[in-house]
């Protein structure tokens, strides 16, 4: 046992030394501002530089860019580079390599599919899109023009705007569709008359099971479909079968659903219909009674007509309706006729933009010229690479927008910049309070301003601070807002937003508001605009003991997705990888899948089903890995770790390296058992990452104790399971 | 009498489990671990069901024409049983009429789209702030160790409850038993993350897991032709693994018949009620405690809205949020009863100039149909959710709808 403790102590000392070493290398390079050469950022004076350690930085980089945790070899290389004073070079090279990896392509396609609300595939996207054979014989190979466009932008690192404005597509020919939507060929047939007719070679399949056991003799390949550069009818991913079918239209809907998707994707303006339980029902009551001769009530408008024209409804409809008109001529296939419409929306400084356009293509071209568009795209990148829960001030957003434009909106270039920024390099683990600046409050106030615009000149511009022209006016308005939103209470007595506004503040938004006021109503730059005690202290939410994972529950976005887990499992067990096992037993609702309607994860965290799925998947894949290693006469050393290999050299336990599947676990000395467990825990969770690493190692070892006659590989499986069933493994 | 504290409860559970294994009795005959379980199953169908074809049949008045009210059946096709009137698609419900209550004339306020309205119907809130009723009940009334059984995405709001899928139930019997294996990972009680919660459930759920596996095997044997979802649901409820469920009624077509409504919607809705009746029949035949599973389960069958009374230009029927109907059945429900009503107003008499099928307004002082808009209101989804909460004893912490929302007493036994 003494040896065991000393081994752990040595290991921990090594980690500490490594951390200090990296810390020093950061300090050395802290003389400059954030730059693109991979140097660490300069920290603001007076703030604690709570930087990530090198291991944690590698893990974060790998997970955010590839959706995959680093391998042990990568950690080893990092340590070796740091010991040679080449830490920054290592990170630069690694970043470049990650950005060119198939996993980055897959991860970005998945992010874009989530953004468009169209996620479909059950394997990581790179499985379909990394290498596309010139002749595709597999009928289950379903790739479509939208994903191929995503692939082009990420793969070739082209202008991000191409996603939305492209006039060049690739489609698979002959067409074949597994789903209830027109094939890409059928979708484009009316507008592109030089294409082969869709009935020529089009094969519609409702259920691929129909074709099990009877392969269709069909060979497909990619076909380019090009339009003229400024074709007003065509707009990148929006004029694809997949988008139009996903956001279908009805006589009542009048393409508003499509317009709402455009506003969300292009301008980060989320509009969702809601029903309030205290809405005015007088019109409904008037409708419920028939007209009589004695009581000839006036004809009232239908609720839908009324909804579309009332002032409170107009805050959404004045934007949605003109944009929706540009889709008017297209149902589920793209029309050859362009439909005119307009881009109408209020800018950041509350000026109404109204640009009439002749077609959807022109509309999207116009949107991409707007400052708010570029800011919104930056926000997407921020949410993906920094975190939705990390505050982004307006001035910071503008800085990043300028950089986005400077790198000509090339995604890999912008990601390279982002991941070297202080917000990425900060260690936010354990920092679970939400710092709120006006940047988080502005969208709420923008909504207020949108409805109040023109209502009264006595109202200040709510989108800028201070509210009103004087400090006193600002304080008074904040006090009025406290009352109007019932921030001192539960919100139940709120007079604003009005019941019939179709808009309601979420509990999280209410709490952000309270936190913002309690903390001095900080502006975009984090400076207080009201003095402490100037207004009443507002209630805080009850503190939860769930602080460690609170941020993840709140943001709901930092859990590894099921696809990330599949990538990681494949990397950890390359010999035994059989994605089919884990996929066929995976309920897609378990984790990481977005609800396309809410744009939030379907579940907010791991469920019972998820734990069981992950456990059984890991046990099955690891078992298959070990069987394969033995069958191929390979070594188990990868699962033992470098330090263990050194320790057992020349001892009877050396047999472990070749025969772990036959070597009884009880024959492994406790010291070596501990070292193996530490290696596997670090391999899964990351080195220098888990806060309770030694406790985890203890637990993992306890799992191996129950049965005395276990083989080593069985024990390894259990240790792996212990490491994986951990919040720190499952979260970014 | 033995006090049913946790320790005794666990002892009893273990005893009944060992008895089960020794005697090899059918899992169906094993008493549930709880003394008086109360299960809840929400059956959801999407697309918007034409109430006139099922729960709220209509007869065309002499002054109405087909352009006011399009019907595919004659007055004599309407089924009258007890205090229920059922349209021809709901015929499969006849054998269960005494256990079913129909709520007609439910006002859905306005057309905010399928997603918002099914959420409104399932939660009682149209602003997305509440969890689906099975989740809310699990969080307040109490849940089985496997939490809420569900087949399609379920909205959990801010509720931190365990969810379980049919695949999970089926996976339970496959591969290694996890409860013993994961015991050393039992998290510290202070940890309340979803992972910690789920882990604790896996580790402590060994008895239930054993029972679930045995029950599933038995269910598969007795009902080999049932779908995987129903087999899993039945097993989860019988074994006590779950006490609440959400089951989507899958159809071979789309109920959202904006075009070509005639016959198509009729056939699809018939499928819905046949599937509901099949579940009722299954629950009724399944022994449970001192009766059948039906006796211990409250059912709620929902759809997002009804459909317009007339055919549009594409011979379809569009969304009608002016009325909706809900079927409630089973434990705590006043069977054979219809509550609420709707009316058809012809284009000539309609205040909007178009024919309406609309919920009857209710006088809030008497609860009777109102004669004029003064003091009148409607029955809304929040009233239904509040009523179900009452059937479950108004559990502490139930917060989907406010406690001052009126309860529809006529639905409660």
């Amino acid at each position: 046992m003494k040896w065991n403790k000393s081994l752990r102590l040595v290991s921990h000392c090594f980690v500490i030394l490594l951390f200090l070493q990296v810390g020093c290398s950061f300090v050395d390079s802290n003389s400059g501002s954030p730059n693109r050469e991979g140097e660490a950022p300069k920290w603001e004076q007076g703030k604690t530089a709570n930087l990530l350690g090198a291991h944690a930085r590698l893990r974060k980089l790998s997970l955010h860019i590839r959706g995959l945790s680093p391998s042990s070899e990568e950690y080893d290389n990092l340590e070796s580079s740091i010991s040679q004073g080449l830490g920054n070079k290592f990170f630069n090279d690694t970043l470049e390599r990650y950005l060119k990896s198939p996993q980055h392509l897959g991860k970005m396609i998945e992010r874009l599919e989530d953004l468009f609300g169209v996620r479909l595939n059950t394997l990581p996207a790179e499985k379909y899109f990394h290498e596309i054979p010139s002749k595709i014989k597999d009928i289950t190979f379903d790739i479509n023009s939208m994903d191929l466009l995503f692939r082009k932008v990420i793969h070739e690192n082209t202008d991000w705007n191409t996603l939305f404005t492209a006039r060049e597509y690739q489609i698979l020919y002959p067409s074949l569709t597994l789903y209830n939507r027109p094939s890409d060929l059928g979708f484009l047939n009316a507008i592109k008359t030089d294409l082969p007719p869709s009935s020529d070679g089009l094969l519609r399949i409702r259920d691929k099971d129909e074709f099990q056991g009877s392969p269709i003799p069909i060979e497909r390949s990619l076909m380019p479909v090009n339009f003229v550069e400024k074709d007003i009818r065509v707009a990148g991913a929006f004029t694809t079968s997949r988008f139009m079918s996903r956001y279908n239209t009805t006589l009542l809907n009048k393409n508003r659903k499509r317009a709402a998707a455009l506003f969300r994707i292009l301008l980060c303006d989320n509009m969702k219909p809601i029903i309030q339980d205290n809405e005015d029902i007088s019109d409904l009551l008037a409708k419920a009674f028939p007209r009589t001769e004695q009581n000839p009530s006036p004809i009232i408008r239908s609720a839908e007509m009324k909804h579309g024209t009332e002032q409170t409804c107009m805050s959404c409809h004045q934007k949605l309706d003109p944009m929706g008109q540009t889709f008017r001529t297209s149902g589920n296939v793209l029309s050859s006729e362009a439909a005119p419409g307009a881009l109408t929306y209020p800018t950041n400084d509350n000026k109404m933009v109204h640009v009439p356009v002749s077609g959807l293509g022109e509309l999207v071209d116009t949107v991409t010229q707007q400052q708010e568009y570029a800011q919104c795209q930056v926000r997407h990148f921020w949410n993906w690479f920094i975190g939705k829960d990390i505050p982004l001030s307006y001035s910071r957003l503008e800085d990043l927008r300028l950089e986005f434009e400077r790198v000509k909106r090339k995604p890999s270039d912008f990601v390279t910049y982002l991941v070297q920024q202080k917000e990425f390099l900060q260690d936010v683990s354990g920092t679970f309070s939400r710092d709120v600046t006006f940047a988080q409050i502005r969208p709420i106030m923008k909504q207020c301003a949108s409805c109040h615009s023109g209502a009264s000149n006595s109202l200040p511009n709510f989108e800028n601070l201070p509210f009103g022209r004087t400090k006193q006016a600002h304080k008074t308005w904040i006090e009025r807002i406290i009352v109007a939103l019932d921030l001192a209470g539960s919100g139940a007595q709120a007079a604003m937003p009005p019941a019939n506004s179709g808009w309601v503040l979420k509990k999280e938004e209410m709490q952000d508001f309270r936190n913002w006021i309690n903390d001095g109503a900080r502006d975009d730059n984090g400076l207080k605009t009201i003095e402490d005690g100037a207004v009443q202290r507002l209630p805080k939410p009850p503190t939860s003991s769930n602080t460690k994972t609170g941020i993840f529950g709140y943001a709901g976005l930092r859990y590894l997705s099921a696809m990330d887990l599949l990538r990681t499992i494949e990397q950890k067990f390359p010999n035994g990888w059989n994605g089919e096992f884990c996929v066929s037993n995976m309920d897609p609702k378990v984790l990481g899948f977005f609800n396309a309607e809410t744009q939030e994860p379907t579940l907010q965290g791991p469920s019972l089903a998820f734990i069981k799925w992950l456990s059984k998947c890991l046990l099955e894949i690891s078992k298959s890995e070990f069987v394969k290693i033995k069958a191929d006469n390979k070594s188990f050393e990868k699962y033992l770790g470098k330090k263990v290999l050194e320790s057992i050299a020349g001892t009877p336990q050396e047999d472990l390296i070749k025969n772990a599947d036959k070597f009884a676990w009880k024959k492994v000395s406790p010291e070596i058992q501990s070292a193996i467990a530490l290696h596997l825990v670090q391999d899964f969770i990351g080195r220098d990452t888990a806060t309770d690493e030694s406790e985890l190692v203890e637990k993992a070892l306890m799992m191996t104790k129950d049965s005395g006659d276990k083989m080593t590989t069985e024990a390894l499986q259990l240790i792996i399971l212990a490491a994986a069933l951990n919040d720190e493994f499952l979260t970014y | 009498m033995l006090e049913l504290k946790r320790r005794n409860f666990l002892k009893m559970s273990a005893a009944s489990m060992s008895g089960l294994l020794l005697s090899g009795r059918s899992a169906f005959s094993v008493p549930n671990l709880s003394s008086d379980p109360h299960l809840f199953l929400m059956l959801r169908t999407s697309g918007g069901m034409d109430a006139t074809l099922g729960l709220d049949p209509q007869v065309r008045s002499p002054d109405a024409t087909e352009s006011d009210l399009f019907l595919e059946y004659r007055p004599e096709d309407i089924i009258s049983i007890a205090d229920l009137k059922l349209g021809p698609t709901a015929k499969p419900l006849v054998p269960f009429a005494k256990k079913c209550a129909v709520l007609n004339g439910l006002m859905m306020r306005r057309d905010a789209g399928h997603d918002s309205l099914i959420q409104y119907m399932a939660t009682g809130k149209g602003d997305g702030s509440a969890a689906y009723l099975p989740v809310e009940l699990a969080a307040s009334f109490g849940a089985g160790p496997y939490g809420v059984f569900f087949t399609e995405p379920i909205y959990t709001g801010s509720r931190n409850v365990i969810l379980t899928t049919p695949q999970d139930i089926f996976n339970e019997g496959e591969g290694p038993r996890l409860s013993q294996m994961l015991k050393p990972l039992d998290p510290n009680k202070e940890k309340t993350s979803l992972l910690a919660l789920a882990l604790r459930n896996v580790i402590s759920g060994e008895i239930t897991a054993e029972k679930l596996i045995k029950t599933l095997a038995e269910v598969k044997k007795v009902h080999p032709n049932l779908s995987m979802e129903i087999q899993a649901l039945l097993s989860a409820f019988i074994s006590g693994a779950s006490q609440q469920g959400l089951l989507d009624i899958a159809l071979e077509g789309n109920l959202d018949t904006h075009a070509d409504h005639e016959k198509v919607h009729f056939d699809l809705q018939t499928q819905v009620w046949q599937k509901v009746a099949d579940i009722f029949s299954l629950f009724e035949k399944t022994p449970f405690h001192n009766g059948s599973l039906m006796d211990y389960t409250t059912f709620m069958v929902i759809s997002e809205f009804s459909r317009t009374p007339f055919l549009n230009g594409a011979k379809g029927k569009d969304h009608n949020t002016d009325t909706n109907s809900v079927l409630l059945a089973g434990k705590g429900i006043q069977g054979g009863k219809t509550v609420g009503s709707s009316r058809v107003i012809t284009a000539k008499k309609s205040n909007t100039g178009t024919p309406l099928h609309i919920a009857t307004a209710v006088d809030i002082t008497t609860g009777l149909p109102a004669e004029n808009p003064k003091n009148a209101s409607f029955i809304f989804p929040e009233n239904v959710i509040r009523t179900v909460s009452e059937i479950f004893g108004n559990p502490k912490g139930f917060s989907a709808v406010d406690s001052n929302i009126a309860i529809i007493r006529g639905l409660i036994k």
Side-chain angles (χ1 to χ4, degrees), chain A residues 465-479:
Chain A
L465 293 179
F467 301 146
R469 291 181 184 168
T470 64
K471 208 172 172 181
Q472 182 56 37
H474 178 61
K475 175 178 164 288
T476 306
W477 275 110
I478 286 182
E479 285 168 339

Side-chain angles (χ1 to χ4, degrees), chain B residues 67-235:
Chain B
S67 59
D68 289 311
L69 176 62
F70 175 80
L71 294 173
E72 299 174 55
Y73 52 88
R74 299 162 301 172
E76 53 268 37
D77 295 329
I78 295 174
I79 303 155
S80 291
I81 181 160
D83 186 26
L84 295 178
K85 284 199 181 339
L86 300 173
T89 68
K91 193 177 172 187
L93 295 175
V94 167
F96 311 98
K98 286 183 181 167
K99 293 183 176 175
C100 294
V102 169
L103 176 63
N104 286 327
L106 194 59
M107 171 57 75
M108 303 301 295
R109 297 178 189 268
R110 63 181 164 78
D111 193 352
H114 293 273
D115 301 310
S116 296
L117 286 164
I118 197 73
Q119 193 164 22
Y120 184 26
M121 194 62 251
T123 68
K125 286 274 190 190
D127 61 9
S129 63
Y132 267 35
L133 185 54
V135 172
E136 189 65 22
L137 284 173
S140 55
F141 181 75
Y146 283 64
V148 178
F149 174 95
F150 75 111
T151 54
E152 284 301 317
I154 185 167
Y155 188 70
T156 54
S158 56
R159 290 298 197 178
N160 202 5
V161 298
I162 294 289
L163 297 165
T164 231
T165 64
Q167 185 66 57
D168 178 42
I169 305 279
F170 269 67
N171 282 351
E172 196 62 89
E174 308 291 327
R177 300 290 151 76
L178 295 171
S179 52
Q180 277 299 320
M181 194 182 281
L182 300 180
K183 214 161 222 167
L185 301 183
D186 202 356
N188 183 318
K189 284 199 175 70
E190 285 174 8
K191 288 195 176 176
T192 55
S193 74
L194 280 167
L195 179 77
L197 204 66
L199 259 178
R200 210 170 289 139
N201 271 35
V202 175
I203 293 161
S204 64
E206 192 177 4
I207 294 171
T208 316
E210 290 292 339
K211 192 172 175 191
L212 178 62
I213 291 163
K214 188 174 167 64
T215 308
L216 180 62
E218 189 97 8
V219 167
K220 282 182 183 173
K221 201 167 133 190
V222 176
H223 304 290
N225 297 324
L226 285 180
S227 69
M228 172 193 174
E229 283 80 13
I230 306 288
Q231 286 179 338
L233 168 72
L234 206 54
S235 309

Side-chain angles (χ1 to χ4, degrees), chain B residues 44-49 114 118 248-249 251 253-256 302-304:
Chain B
R44 175 176 65 182
T45 184
S46 302
M49 274 202 292
H114 293 273
I118 197 73
D248 254 58
I249 302 172
L251 300 174
N254 189 352
L255 278 168
D256 196 20
I302 60 165
S303 167
E304 52 269 56

Side-chain angles (χ1 to χ4, degrees), chain A residues 451-467:
Chain A
C451 292
H452 283 289
S453 60
S456 162
N457 289 333
S458 62
L459 290 175
N461 179 356
F462 284 127
E463 292 186 53
N464 291 313
L465 293 179
F467 301 146

Side-chain angles (χ1 to χ4, degrees), chain A residues 484-637:
Chain A
L485 300 183
D486 187 24
L487 294 174
S490 64
Q493 304 301 317
M496 287 286 155
N500 61 353
S501 66
W503 170 51
V504 66
L505 283 179
K506 291 179 187 165
K507 281 178 186 168
E508 290 86 356
E509 290 173 328
M510 294 276 287
Q511 199 50 49
D512 276 353
F513 231 122
R514 292 187 186 105
N515 291 346
W516 178 65
I517 293 171
N518 281 344
D519 193 32
R522 290 177 189 272
D523 64 15
D524 287 333
N525 298 315
L527 299 173
K528 290 184 178 182
T529 63
I530 50 173
E531 289 164 14
D532 291 343
V535 297
Q536 68 183 110
R537 191 92 190 143
L538 300 170
K540 282 185 172 182
T543 49
S544 160
S545 55
N546 187 19
T547 49
K548 185 60 193 165
T549 53
I551 195 166
F552 307 119
Y554 181 89
L557 293 170
R558 288 184 168 232
Y559 275 105
L560 303 189
S561 70
M563 296 300 133
D564 295 338
L565 287 166
L566 291 179
R567 283 190 187 97
T568 302
I569 291 168
E570 183 177 16
Q571 179 221 41
K572 302 290 179 201
F573 309 105
N575 301 296
W577 166 251
N578 173 2
E580 194 52 40
F581 176 84
C582 291
V583 172
S584 62
N585 288 288
M586 174 178 71
D587 192 307
K589 292 179 279 293
V590 290
L591 192 63
F593 274 78
F594 271 61
N595 180 327
E597 295 302 332
T598 62
Q599 284 299 303
E600 296 291 341
T602 303
L603 298 181
Q604 297 294 318
S607 65
L608 189 73
F610 168 77
I611 291 192
K612 292 177 177 176
W613 167 76
L614 180 61
S615 302
K616 290 177 181 178
C617 166
L618 275 175
L619 290 171
E620 179 67 23
I621 296 289
S622 57
K623 185 179 172 189
S624 144
E625 169 86 2
F626 297 145
V627 167
K628 191 86 184 353
I629 285 178
K630 185 65 190 167
D632 295 347
N633 205 22
K634 288 182 181 167
S635 152
F636 289 91
E637 59 186 33

Side-chain angles (χ1 to χ4, degrees), chain B residues 55-56 83 102-106 323-325 337-343 359-362 367 369 379 408 410-411:
Chain B
L55 298 182
D56 193 8
D83 186 26
V102 169
L103 176 63
N104 286 327
L106 194 59
T323 191
N324 197 5
S325 296
K337 191 161 181 184
T338 301
V339 175
S341 63
S342 64
R343 69 201 304 180
T360 306
V362 179
I379 301 171
I408 310 164
L411 291 169

